[in-house]
């Protein structure tokens, strides 16, 4: 069996049901500026970095320039952070999985495109998170692999000894771009031909034996590392 040393969790849509919160405030702030966000555009933004979102707001005409895009993102992120801090909306099974992995001696990281101020209330509520990598911590965010590579570097753990849990296409792209085995919480596989992605219906369907078995399968087929 593969030596599982670390599990790297996305946050929004994986650990917590916060995508709907992001969408609520994104739509509201865009509407205030006369821009309506369709579902296709919202899907592009799932798990996206601050830079991606800021640039997209310029493209959509929500703001005039990139500085305005960053200001827009900060306004939305502050609202999301306040809502989440009131009571983190954990996905069913998320807390149990994180604690079980921690008790088994496996390192836990939250690697999210969200700002640290949004992530910390979730990490604090879990109480056993070893590392937080936020959207502010790497020059390039998801879908680039930099955030996950930074987490592995800080943990001093190799790609072949870690698994990423993600829900978004951007997040899965980041994990696989870094050569890390991915488990995608979704009804539909992000990249049909990538053999390093296992689709699961919910985080409640995931446990340590499944994660270890998937890592072993990926290592055996040389699709990680």
């Amino acid at each position: 069996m593969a030596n599982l040393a670390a599990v790297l969790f996305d946050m929004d849509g994986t650990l917590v049901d916060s995508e709907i919160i992001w969408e609520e405030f994104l739509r509201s702030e865009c509407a205030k500026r006369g821009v309506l966000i369709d579902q296709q555009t919202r899907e592009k933004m799932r798990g996206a970095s601050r830079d991606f979102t800021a640039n997209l707001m310029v493209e959509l005409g929500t703001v005039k320039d990139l500085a305005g895009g960053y200001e827009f993102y900060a306004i939305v992120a502050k609202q999301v952070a306040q809502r989440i801090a009131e009571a983190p909306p954990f996905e069913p099974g998320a807390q149990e999985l994180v604690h079980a992995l921690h008790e088994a001696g496996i390192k836990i990281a939250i690697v999210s495109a969200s700002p640290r101020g949004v992530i910390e209330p979730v990490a604090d509520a879990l109480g056993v998170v070893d590392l937080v990598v936020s959207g502010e911590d790497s020059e390039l965010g998801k879908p680039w692999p930099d955030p996950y590579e930074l987490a592995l570097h800080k943990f001093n753990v190799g790609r072949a000894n870690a698994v990423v849990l993600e829900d978004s296409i951007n997040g899965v792209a980041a994990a696989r771009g870094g050569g890390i085995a991915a488990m995608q919480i979704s009804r539909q596989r992000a990249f049909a031909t990538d053999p390093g992605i296992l689709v699961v219906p919910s985080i409640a369907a995931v446990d340590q034996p499944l994660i270890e078995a998937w890592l072993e399968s990926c290592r055996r087929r040389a699709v990680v590392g």
Side-chain angles (χ1 to χ4, degrees), residues 48-99:
S49 67
R50 181 183 72 127
D51 291 342
F52 181 94
T53 303
N55 278 285
L56 183 59
M57 290 303 106
V58 176
E59 292 177 20
L60 294 173
T62 309
V63 296
K64 293 181 179 180
D65 53 30
L66 194 56
Y70 287 125
E71 182 180 353
F72 174 92
Y73 183 87
I75 290 169
V76 173
K78 182 178 180 180
Q79 294 172 317
V80 172
Q82 289 172 341
R83 178 74 64 81
I84 289 177
E86 293 170 4
F90 284 106
E91 294 282 4
Q95 291 168 288
E96 292 83 355
L97 175 60
V98 169
H99 281 269

Side-chain angles (χ1 to χ4, degrees), residues 38 87 92 98 152:
D38 60 25
V98 169
L152 292 181

